[in-house]
Amino acid sequence: MSRPRGQSEASELGEGATISVTCVLDGRCHSVPDEELAIGIAYRGGQYSAVCGHVVTPAPMVAPDGELCPACAERDASHRRRRGFRFRR
């Protein structure tokens, strides 16, 4: 996905909140920075860079989360905590 000139990839910044997004290509649940979602939405790209570097093509929001991406979990410790919280009942 292309970005405006001079703008860093959100995954390189390592800051801010992330959202769990399951990718239809690899079936894994990735951690995507909010900034990356905003860029994708603004430019109608439909694909987002996860903190692990994978380019995510999102699954439908009604689909269950895929298996947790180990690289995202390692780079974004809050990703694992949020995922666990969502599935507690």
Side-chain angles (χ1 to χ4, degrees):
M1 172 170 41
S2 61
R3 287 176 177 68
R5 201 172 293 227
Q7 187 170 1
S8 299
E9 282 195 36
S11 59
E12 292 174 354
L13 299 175
E15 56 189 40
T18 60
I19 295 179
S20 299
V21 180
T22 298
C23 179
V24 296
L25 300 177
D26 70 356
R28 293 188 183 261
C29 184
H30 293 274
S31 184
V32 177
D34 283 346
E35 297 86 5
E36 183 67 22
L37 288 170
I39 292 168
I41 291 168
Y43 292 98
R44 300 182 189 268
Q47 295 179 318
Y48 312 97
S49 293
V51 297
C52 68
H54 181 78
V55 177
V56 176
T57 301
M61 296 296 287
V62 296
D65 279 353
E67 183 180 325
L68 182 62
C69 169
C72 284
E74 183 179 313
R75 288 175 176 80
D76 180 15
S78 66
H79 184 63
R80 186 178 299 277
R81 285 193 308 272
R82 282 193 318 275
R83 182 177 166 86
F85 179 75
R86 285 181 15 193
F87 292 103
R88 279 189 223 142
R89 299 228 178 202

